[in-house]
Amino acid sequence: MIRQYELVERVKAYDPSADEDLLNRAYVFSMKAHGSQTRASGDPYFLHPLEVAGILTQMKLDAGTIATALLHDTVEDTVATLEDIERIFGKEIARLVDGVTKLSRLELNSEQAKQAENFRKLVIAMSEDIRVLLVKLADRLHNMRTLYHLKKPEKRRRIARETIEIYSPLAERIGMHKIKDELDDLAFAELNPDARDSILAQLARLRSEGENRVQTIITELRELLASEGLPDVSVSGREKSAYSIWRKLQRKNVSFEQLSDIMAFRITVGSVGECYQALGVVHAHYPVVPGRFKDYISTPKPNGYRSLHTGVIGPGRNRIEVQIRTQDMHEIAELGVAAHWAYKQDHQPRPNGGEYRWLRELLDILEHAQKPEEFLEHTKLELFQDQVFCFTPKGDLIALPRGATPVDFAYAVHSQVGDHCVGAKINGRMLPLRTQLQNGDQVDIVTSKAQTPVPGWERFVVTGKARARIRKFLRTQQRAQYMELGRGMLMRQFKSEGYEFTEKALEAATKIFQQPTVDDLMAGVGSGLHSVREVFHAVFPGHKAQAAPAVRELEESAPKPKAKARKESALPIRGLIPGMAVHYARCCHPLPGDRIVGIVTTGKGVTIHTIDCETLESFHESPERWIDVSWETGPDSPEEHVGRISVVIANEQGSLGTLFTVIGKNQGNVIHQKITNRSTDYFELLIDIDVKDAKHLTNIMAALRATPAIHSVERARGR
C-alpha cells in the first residue's frame, strides 16, 4: 500500500507547486469514508482508490486529478455526499468526482440501458474536463488488474466486454496506447483465454527457435544507423501483444506464420529531420514490404500521435515493423493527452483542439439518439474501428472509420453538409455515395438545399454520428407522415359516417388511447397502432356501426378493373414518402394508373396493393384494415416508381443488348434484373424498371413486344 507521505512525495517530485494539503485531506477523507469496506479479493477497499491515484502519478498529473482519484468512489460507495465533497474540497474537485461517479441508483429497464446511461453521463463530464476520463481509465485499469477476484463468470465477461468495446477505444482516442494495450490484453484474457494462450504459445515457440533474434536485430539496426551518421539513437524491440496479433489474424484472414509484423522495433532519434534520415537508411538497406509505409509525422493521427511506420524484410530475412520517432513523440504515443500536461497552466482544460473532434461528435450523437441503448450503439460504431484519413479540397484532414463513405465524410465535416449531400467527387471523379473511402482520398461533397437524408443511407454509413443524424431525421419525417396519413383516414371515416371532422372532437379520445396530444393520436392511427373505427367510436360512443363501405365496393369492383373507382372517399397518397408512412407492396408493384387499395399494418402505416393482388385474399377476414386510396399525381408526387416485367427472350448474341436499348429509348431505367430460367433457346428474366406510371410501363412493354428477339412480355407479379 502506498503511504500518505509517499503519495505526496511522488506528486511533488514532478510538480513542486502541487497542493500538498489537498492531497493529505483527500487521502485521510477517503480512508475514513471507506472504513472497513473490503473488495472481492478481501483487501481493504481503500486500496483501490489509492492504486488508481498511483497509476495517475505515473502520468504526472496534477494534484486535483490525484485527489479526485482518491475520492472517486466515496459518493457511490459510502455515506459521503457530493455536498460533503464540495464543502471540504471545493467545486472543482466535486465536479470531477461527480463526473466519474456512476449512476448506480438509477432505475433502468436493462443492464445495457444502465451501461448506456452511465456512459452518457461520462461523455458529458469529460467534455467539460478531460481529466474525468483520465481518472476513469485509471479506475478501469485497476479493476481489470483485479478482475479475476470476481466469482461470477458472467459479471467478469460483461466488464471485460465493456472494457474492450468502450474504454480501450477511448484510451486510444486520447493517445494513451500503453493503457490501451494493457486493457486490451486483460480483457482478451477473460473473453477468449484459449485464443490468447494459443498465440502466447506460438510466440514462445518463435522465441525458442531464435532466442537472441530480437537482440540481434537491435544490434544490427543500431550499427547500421551509426555507420550512416546517426550514432546517438535508441533502438528497442518488442513482440506485439497477443490481442493485437489476434485482431490482425481476424482482420487480414491470414495464419500466424503469414503475419509480417509480430515483432516491432522502435528507433528514437533527436529531431524530425533525423526521423526521415533514419527512414532513408532503413529503406536503402532492407527490402520494403509494399503498403506498409505510413507517415504520421506529416499527417498526425487525430489523437496527436506522430511517428513513421514501415515494414521491411530486415536482418536474418525477418519481416519486421519499424517505428521511427523523436523522444517527444514517444512520450505522446505512450501517455497521449497526459503527456501534454495541460493542467499546469490551466486548471480547467477544455477539449476544444483538433484531437478532441471525436468527443464533439460523441456529444452530437448524444443529441440525436432517441434512447440510451441507441446512443451506446452509435458510440461503439464511432470508437471501435480502424481509421482511414481523407482530405477536404482545402487540405483539411478528416479521420474516419475504415469502410466509411462520402456520406460519413460529409457528416464529419458538418451536420448540415451531411443532410444536404447529393453527390461526391473522390480524387476529382464523381462516384456513388456508397463508395468506400481509402487512405489519402480527397473528397469534395456536392450539396443541394433541396436534399434531405435518404432512408437508404442508413444501410451503408458506418459512423455513429451519421447514423444518429439520419435516424433522427427519419423519425421526425415519419411522425409527420403518420400524422398526415392518420388525419386523412379519420377525416374520411368521419365523412362516411355523416360527421364533420374536427381536432377538438378527438381530444376526449386522447385519454382513452393514452396519447398526450391529438397529434400523437393521429400519428398512432397513421402507423396502425390504433384502428380508425376504434377512435371514431371513442369519439361517438352511441353511434351505430356500419359495414365497411370501402371494402364492399372494392370487393364488388375487383373483378371489373375498368370500372371507375369512387374518388370522393378515397385517401390520396400524394406526397407521402415511400418507406415511411406508405409502403408499396413488392408482391404486385403498384404504379400510378393502377387501381389500388391500402392495408393498414400495425406500426408500419399503410401498404399499397393493386386491387387484383392475390395477397389481398389473406385480409378478407380483417375489413377494418382496408382503406380506399387513390393516386393523386402532381408536381409534388414522386417522379419514378418501380414496375416489374417478366420477359422471355431468344438466347442469341446481342438479344440482351437489344432488350435494354429498347427500354432506355422509351425513357425507362433498369434498376435490377434477374435471370429466372435459361435454356438452349430462351432466357426468362424478371426486370425492375423505374417508370412514371402504369401507362409508361405499358408503352415500354408494347415496344418490347415489337422487337423480334423478344418472344413475350408480361407485367410480373410476386417477389
Side-chain angles (χ1 to χ4, degrees), residues 339-354:
H340 293 293
W341 188 230
Y343 317 114
K344 282 186 177 179
Q345 291 77 28
D346 179 5
H347 287 280
Q348 290 184 327
R350 292 290 184 268
N352 54 8

Side-chain angles (χ1 to χ4, degrees), residues 176-239:
M176 305 184 75
H177 291 278
K178 192 173 182 180
I179 286 182
K180 174 198 177 302
D181 288 344
E182 188 173 353
L183 287 174
D184 280 339
D185 195 54
L186 291 168
F188 186 41
E190 178 60 43
L191 293 172
N192 205 334
D194 292 341
R196 182 174 181 270
D197 290 344
S198 174
I199 291 171
L200 291 177
Q202 297 207 57
L203 287 173
R205 177 178 56 79
L206 283 179
R207 248 181 264 123
S208 65
E209 289 175 357
E211 291 184 7
N212 297 320
R213 182 185 302 180
V214 172
Q215 189 55 49
T216 300
I217 294 173
I218 289 173
T219 302
E220 184 169 328
L221 285 173
R222 188 181 292 125
E223 290 174 352
L224 173 64
L225 292 166
S227 67
E228 296 289 340
L230 291 167
D232 300 322
V233 298
S234 169
V235 182
S236 59
R238 64 177 178 85
E239 294 167 342

Side-chain angles (χ1 to χ4, degrees), residues 550-563:
V551 176
R552 276 204 319 272
E553 181 186 340
L554 290 168
E555 288 179 336
E556 291 167 3
S557 61
K560 300 174 286 185
K562 293 184 179 179

